Amino acid sequence: GDHGRVYVPHEIIEVWPSILQVAHWAFPNYTELELLSGVGPQSGLIPREYLKIFGNRFPSLSVIATSIPDTHNLEIGLLHKGVSEFIPITQLPQNYGGTGDVFAAIFVKKHFMQGITLNESLHIAATETAKAIQFSIEQNSKELLIYPNTF
C-alpha cells in the first residue's frame, strides 16, 4: 500500500502475516506498517507506536519501516533484536511509487552483500534514495528515475 490506500487484493494481504512469521527481515512503508500491525490506521496511535506493535506481533522479525510521519519530516524506523531506532529524513516535495523498493534494494546490497554495518547501510540507502527522488524531480519525471551509479 501507499499513502493510506491498498493496491493489492485482500486475499494477498490475508497471507502476509503467515509469510512474516517465517521471514527474517521486512521493509514495509508506513501504510503497510499500519495495515500489518493488526490495529489499523484509524486507531489514533502516534506513528512511532505502529513499529512497536508490529514488532510485538512478529517478535523474531527485523523491520526497517520507511516514510513514518514525524512532526515536520519523515523517519525510517528500525526494529532489530528488540531495539528500535528512528532516523530522521527530509521529506522531498514529490512522492514516487517504488521508492521503498529502491531503498530496500540499496540496503540489502550494502548490508548483506557488501558487509557494511547496519546503521551505515541505512544511512547510505536513505541518502541514495533521496538522490534518486531529487534526480527525478529535476528531470520533471512522473516516475522515479534511477540516476547513474545508484547501485
Side-chain angles (χ1 to χ4, degrees):
D2 278 323
H3 311 290
R5 65 178 183 83
V6 176
Y7 51 80
V8 297
H10 187 69
E11 295 80 28
I12 292 175
I13 296 169
E14 288 177 345
V15 298
W16 280 350
S18 61
I19 294 169
L20 291 172
Q21 292 292 348
V22 296
H24 296 281
W25 284 86
F27 296 87
N29 62 33
Y30 182 65
T31 297
E32 295 158 348
L33 189 68
E34 286 179 317
L35 182 67
L36 294 168
S37 68
V39 294
Q42 306 304 325
S43 65
L45 295 173
I46 63 167
R48 284 184 172 197
E49 290 177 326
Y50 284 101
L51 186 63
K52 181 179 179 184
I53 293 167
F54 190 92
N56 289 339
R57 185 170 185 198
F58 306 103
S60 63
L61 189 63
S62 291
V63 181
I64 298 174
T66 56
S67 302
I68 297 175
D70 189 22
T71 308
H72 302 291
N73 278 306
L74 297 174
E75 295 180 313
I76 296 169
L78 167 66
L79 181 59
H80 182 62
K81 297 182 179 179
V83 177
S84 61
E85 179 181 349
F86 293 89
I87 300 160
I89 56 174
T90 301
Q91 185 170 1
L92 295 172
Q94 179 77 25
N95 293 311
Y96 293 101
T99 302
D101 299 321
V102 169
F103 174 90
I106 294 169
F107 173 82
V108 167
K109 179 183 179 187
K110 297 300 180 185
H111 185 61
F112 294 110
M113 297 174 73
Q114 295 179 345
I116 297 174
T117 66
L118 180 66
N119 280 343
E120 189 175 350
S121 295
L122 279 172
H123 288 284
I124 291 169
T127 300
E128 295 301 311
T129 302
K131 286 180 185 177
I133 295 168
Q134 189 60 47
F135 178 71
S136 301
I137 292 169
E138 290 167 2
Q139 298 299 313
N140 248 354
S141 177
K142 293 182 192 271
E143 303 292 331
L144 182 65
L145 301 173
I146 306 301
Y147 68 96
N149 302 318
T150 300
F151 295 98

